[in-house]
């Protein structure tokens, strides 16, 4: 039976409930009165149930769809303003014992170059990332208890936090590693990680079992219940995601929201972030083998509907998406993007020769971080390198209650400007710096509290004139 409070995967991601929801959405896709009712509820900015959101996703009334997009954009502005948080992935190792059929790191792939960074290599990679201007990383690793045991991950996190090169520092390390035990999650918590990220890949159990034919990841229940174990291990911020294109997007969308509802019901706090990767080409992977790819219009609608359904959850899009696609979904709800990314192991220090591909996927947006920052500012977004909440202990329910109270706007905005000023002073090209300083001068006036505005101005000046860094509210 469907039960969001249950700890069993098959009860909180309940197949019949998803199928009923999809049938209900299909039946009501032209029901203007119901869609109006749902949109009115969404305007209260308290979120929607998976059933309500599924109706919006299916809605085939053009005028209502336009209302939906406008609302998603407005909710995005209300909660996130025009700030976009920047991060980069760091691939530690592509050794993996799993058999995921859509990932080039799968065990049987003999053509990919297998690599694992030593602590010295990590130091070099992190210095390269700091020299680009990054402050927030997501570390990635395949599942391999022999090559990538938890001790290796913990040591790597320690190394990353320990590197202080010039004015650089990595201030938040998010971790994307395979589902593990409560004990290991506790170790990750103690190592000071930010968000624990684990993509479900697909919520459809039958497809999941076929797509993961071998290795520990084959265990659907263990994988699906991982976030419960992470939270039991004391990790407050968890990041969900599916790989769109593996199964039908309507099924994945509903499962994703049910997973968010489950976390909220059991732990009183929903996911910190939701990622929306789409399947893309890679070594040994041909996307044509997968029949469920979604086009750009549907992708944009999925983003808008998630934004409306879970207004307080950050949304992430990576460089899997092209510049054009990223531009479109930024308006509709995305609050975090990666920039200047390399998806190969060791790729920040030295670009790989073509014969030695170790990348997890082909990047669509290949611009440098400086180009991405400039592009965002040209569209009037404020690129933010802020990591303040995590470092001030504002995680989990403390973060969510602050976010829901709306007070976070007095933190996020000045923090974004101060971290952007750090970037401009230390790493930006002349043109980016010129644009950025004009943007900061304009945006600083929008800080609501007069007292915070005055402090922010003082800090901005100190950053620009000297080597003082890491101010935060
Ligand atoms: Fe390994 Fe993850 Fe790739 Fe699966 S998706 S093969 S677990 S790295
Ligand atoms: Fe994120 Fe907190 Fe910084 Fe706002 S103040 S951008 S919520 S880390």
């Amino acid at each position: 039976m469907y039960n969001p409070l249950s700890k069993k995967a098959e009860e909180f991601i309940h197949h019949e409930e998803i199928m009923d929801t999809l049938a209900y959405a299909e039946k009501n896709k032209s029901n203007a009165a119901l869609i109006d009712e749902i949109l009115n509820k969404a305007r209260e900015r308290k979120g929607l149930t998976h059933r309500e959101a599924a109706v919006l996703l299916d809605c085939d009334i053009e005028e209502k769809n336009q209302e939906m997009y406008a609302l998603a954009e407005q909710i995005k502005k209300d909660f996130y303003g025009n700030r976009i948080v920047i991060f980069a992935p760091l691939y530690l190792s592509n050794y993996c014992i799993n058999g995921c059929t859509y990932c080039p790191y799968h065990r049987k792939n003999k053509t990919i170059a297998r690599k694992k960074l030593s602590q010295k290599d990590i130091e070099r990679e992190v210095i390269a990332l700091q020299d680009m201007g990054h402050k927030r990383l997501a570390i990635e690793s395949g599942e391999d208890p022999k090559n990538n045991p938890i001790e290796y991950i913990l040591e790597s996190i320690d190394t990353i936090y320990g590197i202080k090169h010039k004015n650089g520092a990595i201030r938040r390390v998010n971790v994307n590693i395979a589902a593990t035990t409560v004990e290991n999650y506790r170790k990750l918590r103690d190592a000071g990680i930010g968000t624990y990220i684990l993509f479900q890949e697909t919520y459809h159990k039958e497809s999941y079992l076929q797509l993961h034919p071998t290795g520990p990841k084959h265990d659907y229940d263990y994988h699906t219940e991982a976030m419960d174990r992470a939270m039991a291990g004391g990790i407050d911020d968890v990041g969900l995601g599916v790989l769109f294109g593996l199964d039908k997007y309507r099924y994945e969308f509903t499962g994703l929201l049910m997973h968010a509802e489950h976390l909220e019901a059991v732990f009183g706090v929903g996911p910190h972030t939701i990622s929306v990767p789409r399947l893309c080409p890679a070594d040994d992977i041909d996307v044509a083998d997968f029949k469920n790819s979604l086009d750009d219009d549907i992708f944009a609608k999925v983003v808008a509907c998630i934004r409306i359904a879970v207004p307080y959850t950050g949304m992430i899009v990576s460089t899997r998406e092209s510049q054009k696609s990223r531009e479109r979904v930024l308006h509709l709800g995305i609050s975090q993007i990666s920039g200047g990314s390399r998806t190969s192991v060791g790729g920040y220090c030295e670009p790989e020769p073509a014969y030695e591909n170790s990348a997890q996927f082909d990047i669509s947006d290949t611009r440098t971080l400086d180009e991405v920052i400039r592009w965002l500012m040209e569209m009037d977004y404020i690129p933010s390198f802020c990591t303040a909440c995590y470092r001030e202990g504002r995680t989990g329910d403390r973060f969510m209650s602050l976010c829901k109270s709306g007070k976070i706007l007095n933190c996020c905005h000045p923090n974004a400007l101060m971290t952007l000023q750090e970037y401009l002073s230390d790493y930006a090209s002349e043109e980016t710096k010129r644009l950025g300083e004009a943007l900061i001068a304009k945006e600083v006036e929008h800080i609501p509290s007069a007292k915070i505005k005055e402090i922010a101005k003082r800090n901005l000046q100190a950053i620009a004139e000297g080597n003082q860094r890491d101010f935060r509210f």
Side-chain angles (χ1 to χ4, degrees):
M1 206 183 73
Y2 172 51
N3 178 8
L5 278 164
S6 168
K7 295 288 185 76
K8 287 192 185 152
E10 63 188 26
E11 291 180 358
F12 66 80
I13 305 294
H14 190 258
H15 177 69
E16 276 78 36
E17 171 60 20
I18 298 182
M19 296 314 286
D20 286 354
T21 299
L22 298 185
Y24 174 77
E26 167 73 23
K27 195 175 95 197
N28 286 295
K29 66 182 181 190
S30 311
N31 182 341
L34 177 66
I35 291 163
D36 273 340
E37 204 180 292
I38 297 172
L39 283 172
N40 280 336
K41 182 178 171 196
R43 286 190 182 94
E44 291 169 22
R45 286 142 172 76
K46 293 198 177 111
L48 296 176
T49 65
H50 60 272
R51 277 210 175 208
E52 292 161 340
V55 173
L56 293 190
L57 186 66
D58 266 15
C59 168
D60 67 358
I61 309 171
E62 185 47 29
E63 187 196 326
K64 300 291 161 207
N65 282 333
Q66 292 311 323
E67 269 182 54
M68 192 190 310
Y69 289 129
L71 179 59
E73 203 166 336
Q74 194 53 50
I75 289 177
K76 159 93 195 292
K77 278 189 192 137
D78 294 348
F79 286 105
Y80 298 91
N82 52 349
R83 299 173 301 278
I84 304 289
V85 169
I86 307 291
F87 77 99
L90 172 61
Y91 282 78
L92 298 180
S93 165
N94 64 2
Y95 284 91
C96 191
I97 57 168
N98 286 311
C100 315
T101 57
Y102 49 85
C103 173
Y105 293 173
H106 69 84
R107 185 181 200 154
K108 287 195 184 141
N109 186 1
K110 300 281 182 238
T111 57
I112 201 159
R114 297 285 170 181
K115 293 184 185 174
K116 172 187 170 182
L117 299 181
S118 67
Q119 299 306 310
K120 262 272 154 268
D121 297 332
I122 292 174
E123 205 176 312
R124 279 195 290 269
E125 286 285 278
V126 170
I127 287 174
L129 282 154
Q130 288 186 5
D131 279 344
M132 288 161 76
H134 280 294
K135 300 283 186 276
R136 179 188 285 248
L137 299 186
I139 57 170
E140 322 262 345
S141 162
E143 179 168 17
D144 185 335
K146 212 168 97 220
N147 284 299
N148 321 324
I150 190 73
E151 292 71 26
Y152 169 68
I153 305 292
L154 296 170
E155 191 186 359
S156 304
I157 295 168
D158 213 43
T159 301
I160 295 168
Y161 278 135
I163 298 163
K164 304 278 180 282
H165 170 68
K166 298 184 185 164
N167 282 336
I170 298 302
R171 298 172 181 158
R172 178 176 176 127
V173 179
N174 297 333
V175 173
N176 183 354
I177 60 163
T180 185
T181 59
V182 174
E183 196 194 338
N184 283 346
Y185 285 125
R186 202 165 285 128
K187 289 179 184 166
L188 288 170
R189 193 263 327 257
D190 293 346
I193 70 162
T195 311
Y196 171 65
I197 302 159
L198 181 69
F199 296 161
Q200 178 64 28
E201 319 297 8
T202 174
Y203 283 97
H204 192 284
K205 188 166 182 176
E206 219 179 290
S207 301
Y208 183 97
L209 297 176
Q210 282 167 13
L211 291 158
H212 305 94
T214 55
K217 198 168 168 181
H218 180 71
D219 187 338
Y220 175 89
D221 292 351
Y222 189 74
H223 188 81
T224 310
E225 292 160 10
M227 293 314 190
D228 294 66
R229 292 194 301 282
M231 286 192 153
I235 295 177
D236 286 339
D237 294 344
V238 298
L240 302 181
V242 290
L243 184 51
F244 282 102
L246 293 182
D247 205 285
K248 309 251 180 325
Y249 72 89
R250 298 164 75 238
Y251 195 101
E252 306 295 23
F253 173 85
T254 309
L256 193 55
L257 292 182
M258 284 166 81
H259 202 168
E261 284 166 9
H262 162 69
L263 295 176
E264 178 93 44
V266 175
F267 300 98
V269 51
H272 190 68
T273 53
I274 288 181
S275 300
V276 287
R278 275 196 287 185
L279 200 63
C280 67
D283 179 84
D284 199 35
I285 306 296
D286 185 350
V287 280
D289 293 341
F290 297 86
K291 307 289 175 225
N292 294 306
S293 61
L294 56 169
D295 65 27
D296 289 353
D297 288 345
I298 296 289
F299 183 60
K301 198 169 183 189
V302 165
V303 169
C305 288
I306 295 176
R307 177 72 298 137
I308 291 172
V310 283
Y312 310 109
T313 301
M315 280 182 78
I316 302 177
V317 80
S318 76
T319 51
R320 279 175 186 264
E321 295 296 326
S322 66
Q323 174 180 342
K324 192 165 154 243
S325 164
R326 300 219 291 177
E327 203 163 310
R328 185 166 179 196
V329 292
L330 275 176
H331 295 293
L332 295 173
I334 298 298
S335 57
Q336 271 191 47
I337 64 169
S338 48
S341 305
R342 299 279 184 284
T343 55
S344 52
V345 183
Y348 290 105
C349 275
E350 278 172 43
E352 282 187 323
Y355 60 85
E356 206 191 72
N357 186 11
S358 72
Q360 195 185 28
F361 58 87
D362 294 348
I363 290 172
S364 294
D365 187 344
T366 54
R367 293 170 296 166
T368 63
L369 181 61
D370 192 72
E371 287 167 330
V372 170
I373 297 296
R374 197 160 61 235
W375 161 73
L376 285 172
M377 296 192 302
E378 279 164 356
M379 295 186 293
D380 260 339
Y381 287 110
I382 307 171
S384 171
F385 294 87
C386 180
T387 54
C389 280
Y390 151 76
R391 295 163 77 232
E392 292 292 321
R394 293 191 296 254
T395 57
D397 53 356
R398 276 148 304 185
F399 166 80
M400 281 297 170
S401 57
L402 196 66
C403 192
K404 288 177 186 175
S405 74
K407 287 191 193 130
I408 207 154
L409 297 180
N410 257 324
C411 304
C412 297
H413 197 71
N415 284 340
L417 298 178
M418 293 188 299
T419 54
L420 176 60
Q421 182 62 58
E422 290 184 349
Y423 176 80
L424 299 177
S425 298
D426 292 336
Y427 310 105
S429 66
E430 276 313 309
E431 197 190 337
T432 304
K433 193 169 177 185
R434 187 181 47 75
L435 250 175
E437 286 182 341
L439 182 76
I440 290 174
K442 181 176 82 174
E443 291 288 348
V444 76
E445 300 303 331
H446 297 157
I447 298 173
S449 150
K451 190 162 162 237
I452 290 179
K453 190 193 294 187
E454 190 199 316
I455 300 170
K457 282 186 176 174
R458 216 183 309 136
N459 294 348
L460 283 163
Q461 199 175 352
I463 297 166
E465 287 175 355
N467 275 334
Q468 280 199 75
R469 298 289 178 269
D470 204 13
F471 295 103
R472 60 181 181 264
F473 290 101

